[in-house]
Amino acid sequence: FYTLTCILGNCIDCTILTNGGKTTLTNRLVKTIPNCCVVHQDDFFKKPDQIEVGEDGFRQWDGKNGFCVEKPCSNVLFISCTFFRNKSISDSEEGIHILIVEGFLIYNYKPLIDIYDKCFYISIPYEECKRRRSTRTYTLPDPPGLFDGHVWPMYLKHRKEMENNCDRIKYLDGMDIKEGIYNKVYESVQNSLLNNL
């Protein structure tokens, strides 16, 4: 019973870890790949009043302390180990199952890195990322200076940590057309499936 854990991280090539296209790509993959489920890191943000204010003067939404870290880790491990890897159903009955984990800090959790079969990271330039973020409407609007004073520095910090944690990441250019990004990931997933049947 083969499981492909397809990991989608939102990277920014010399940029930031937001608005790179990871959720758009994930949603499309879920619609086109059978037997697929998703764990979204964003579902595990802490409540606003639980987010600490850091030394930079901003609430730490873009760092590890913004999440209930144990919950996404335990969800991914539970789904991957219990449902996929230990389920006693043959491939011919159910087909191959795929778990997509989507988020901007998913390569910064060491307990999960070893179960990833495919790792993708979407990059966009700093200017484009800042532009995209400025056009989004958030429940809690970004305070002035957040992008350059917090989001960008946190991206640089976590990008370095990520590169030290995982050397199997395939980097994708987020400036490519959405169809092109999707085709690259879909083809890579399909090739892995074919090679493991």
Side-chain angles (χ1 to χ4, degrees):
F1 193 68
Y2 175 73
T3 304
L4 174 69
T5 310
C6 177
I7 308 301
L8 300 173
N10 179 23
C11 136
I12 311 322
D13 172 50
C14 277
T15 55
I16 197 65
L17 38 78
T18 182
N19 297 290
K22 66 189 182 312
T23 303
T24 300
L25 175 58
T26 298
N27 292 340
R28 178 132 185 234
L29 290 169
V30 169
K31 289 178 182 175
T32 57
I33 298 175
N35 298 323
C36 190
C37 68
V38 181
V39 172
H40 297 280
Q41 181 184 22
D42 284 359
D43 291 342
F44 301 98
F45 270 116
K46 292 179 180 176
K47 294 178 182 177
D49 62 348
Q50 296 175 320
I51 306 290
E52 299 172 8
V53 174
E55 292 178 9
D56 59 13
F58 296 105
R59 291 205 181 270
Q60 302 298 292
W61 291 102
D62 293 276
K64 291 180 188 177
N65 293 335
F67 294 93
C68 299
V69 176
E70 303 80 19
K71 289 183 182 178
C73 287
S74 61
N75 274 24
V76 171
L77 290 170
F78 175 81
I79 292 169
S80 182
C81 297
T82 305
F83 180 69
F84 291 124
R85 298 188 193 268
N86 296 331
K87 195 170 182 187
S88 58
I89 294 178
S90 69
D91 287 345
S92 60
E93 291 177 72
E94 284 288 320
I96 295 172
H97 289 75
I98 297 173
L99 171 62
I100 297 177
V101 181
E102 178 256 316
F104 65 85
L105 288 176
I106 58 174
Y107 301 124
N108 298 80
Y109 298 122
K110 289 190 176 186
L112 297 180
I113 292 172
D114 290 341
I115 68 166
Y116 299 161
D117 295 308
K118 288 279 183 183
C119 301
F120 300 98
Y121 197 80
I122 302 172
S123 306
I124 58 175
Y126 168 86
E127 294 80 11
E128 176 64 11
C129 186
K130 189 171 183 176
R131 184 195 68 75
R132 289 184 191 182
R133 184 160 179 132
S134 71
T135 64
R136 300 262 311 256
T137 303
Y138 293 98
T139 306
L140 295 173
D142 284 351
L146 179 72
F147 190 87
D148 289 313
H150 172 68
V151 178
W152 174 248
M154 292 301 282
Y155 159 71
L156 293 176
K157 173 185 174 184
H158 292 117
R159 169 78 185 247
K160 183 176 181 182
E161 181 181 283
M162 176 200 76
E163 290 170 344
N164 291 334
N165 286 345
C166 187
D167 60 0
R168 298 175 289 117
I169 299 169
K170 178 171 180 148
Y171 294 88
L172 303 168
D173 184 353
M175 298 301 286
D176 285 349
I177 59 170
K178 290 178 186 177
E179 187 72 18
I181 296 170
Y182 165 79
N183 287 338
K184 287 176 185 173
V185 173
Y186 183 80
E187 182 179 318
S188 179
V189 171
Q190 289 301 315
N191 286 339
S192 290
L193 295 176
L194 291 172
N195 290 330
N196 286 281
L197 290 178

